[in-house]
Structures are given as structure tokens and as C-alpha cells.
Amino acid sequence: MTVFQIRAYGDPVLRQVTKQVDLFDEGLAKLAQDMLETMHEAEGVGLAANQIGVDRAIFVYDAGDGPVVMVNPRIIETSGEWSYEEGCLSVPGLHWPIVRPNRVHAKGHDLSGAEIEVWGEELEGRVLQHEMDHLNGRLLLEHLDPVQRREAMAALGARTLEKP
Ligand code: NI
């Protein structure tokens, strides 16, 4: 298995809407394994393919009930509201309380191409929405209020100056 470098804020691949997967082959299974390994190594709870530079609609997560792989995922319905201190492996070291829907019903495919369905709430619901955002080229920064956003830009600006 391969541990990949996780792409950080500023990398254009994080702004791409990822391409749908149409080939459920060994290459896809290997990608999922490598993504899980990379996520565990980084001590994250979720990882989307474009975070390792791969333009494919697949994410992995483990919200405490074991690893889940979702290919070509889509969110069917959300409900409720929950505030959670949310961070992102591509925006390391920063986190903010962000309000999002609490419960999420999502559909997608497993590595064999079979349709799967998940109902997540609290952490699992949060991860599903966060990773779905990644596959649509969106980062958690877009969910910040104006004050949080100013703080984020200041912190990210400082980091950019440290590592040009
Ligand atoms: Ni993230």
C-alpha cells in the first residue's frame, strides 16, 4: 500500500469537480486501499480522491464503525442541524465550529459497482457532507462566517509566507 502526500489549500486540484468513476477494476480497489492507508496515517476520519491529486469521484471514511468506501456518491436528503468543530486534512491545524445538517442519506457504489446506501448522523453525517464537498471542488472554508473566514485567511496567509 502507498501513503500519498495530501494536497493542501491552494492546490488547484482541490477546486476541481471530480470525474465519475466508470471502471470498477483492480486499479480502483488499489486506489481505495491507498486512500484508507493515507487517511489512517494522517489520523483523519475521511479523505476524498482529489486530496491526493486523483480526479475521480470516490471518498473513504471511518467515523468509528469501520472503513467505508463510496464511489460516485450523492446526497439524497439531509435534515436537522448540528454544530461541530470541523477540520480538514487539506487545511491542516485549523478548525472551526460549523453548522450543517445533522442527518444525511447518501447513495453511491461500492468497489464492485453495486449500489450502496448510508444513513449517517452526527460525525458520520458530517463526514459524508464534507467529503461530498471535496468531490465537488468545495472546501470547508466556504462554510465559514465572515469573521471565521477573515481569521482563516490570515492564518493561511501566514502559512503561505512560511512555505512559499
Ligand atoms: Ni477535508
Side-chain angles (χ1 to χ4, degrees):
M1 280 189 279
T2 312
V3 171
F4 282 85
Q5 172 117 30
I6 296 175
R7 305 298 182 92
Y9 172 78
D11 190 316
V13 76
L14 296 173
R15 293 298 181 188
Q16 270 181 14
V17 178
T18 50
K19 288 193 187 72
Q20 294 285 292
V21 171
D22 51 18
L23 201 57
F24 293 82
D25 61 358
E26 279 176 26
L28 187 70
K30 166 89 166 72
L31 172 64
Q33 281 304 315
D34 289 345
M35 287 173 63
L36 283 166
E37 186 73 6
T38 301
M39 180 187 83
H40 288 138
E41 187 77 12
E43 296 181 355
V45 293
L47 188 75
N50 49 342
Q51 289 184 278
I52 57 165
V54 175
D55 181 13
R56 285 291 179 275
I58 171 174
F59 65 65
V60 299
Y61 69 91
D62 187 341
D65 296 324
V68 178
V69 177
M70 286 196 89
V71 183
N72 298 340
R74 60 194 195 279
I75 288 176
I76 306 300
E77 198 176 8
T78 62
S79 65
E81 202 176 85
W82 189 48
S83 179
Y84 179 72
E85 192 77 20
E86 187 172 332
C88 178
L89 293 173
S90 293
V91 191
L94 300 173
H95 43 85
W96 301 270
I98 296 175
V99 178
R100 295 197 199 230
N102 186 16
R103 286 173 295 278
V104 176
H105 176 205
K107 286 186 181 181
H109 297 270
D110 68 12
L111 290 171
S112 74
E115 187 164 82
I116 54 170
E117 236 174 329
V118 295
W119 285 265
E121 64 179 319
E122 299 200 338
L123 183 59
E124 187 174 18
R126 180 62 56 126
V127 173
L128 287 166
Q129 294 171 81
H130 181 111
E131 302 312 326
M132 197 68 233
D133 272 358
H134 273 304
L135 297 183
N136 286 321
R138 289 163 58 89
L139 292 171
L140 80 169
L141 300 170
E142 292 168 48
H143 294 275
L144 301 182
D145 67 35
V147 173
Q148 291 172 323
R149 189 175 289 237
R150 272 198 298 278
E151 289 170 2
M153 289 307 139
L156 291 166
R159 186 165 288 137
T160 303
L161 291 177
E162 285 163 10
K163 281 197 285 178

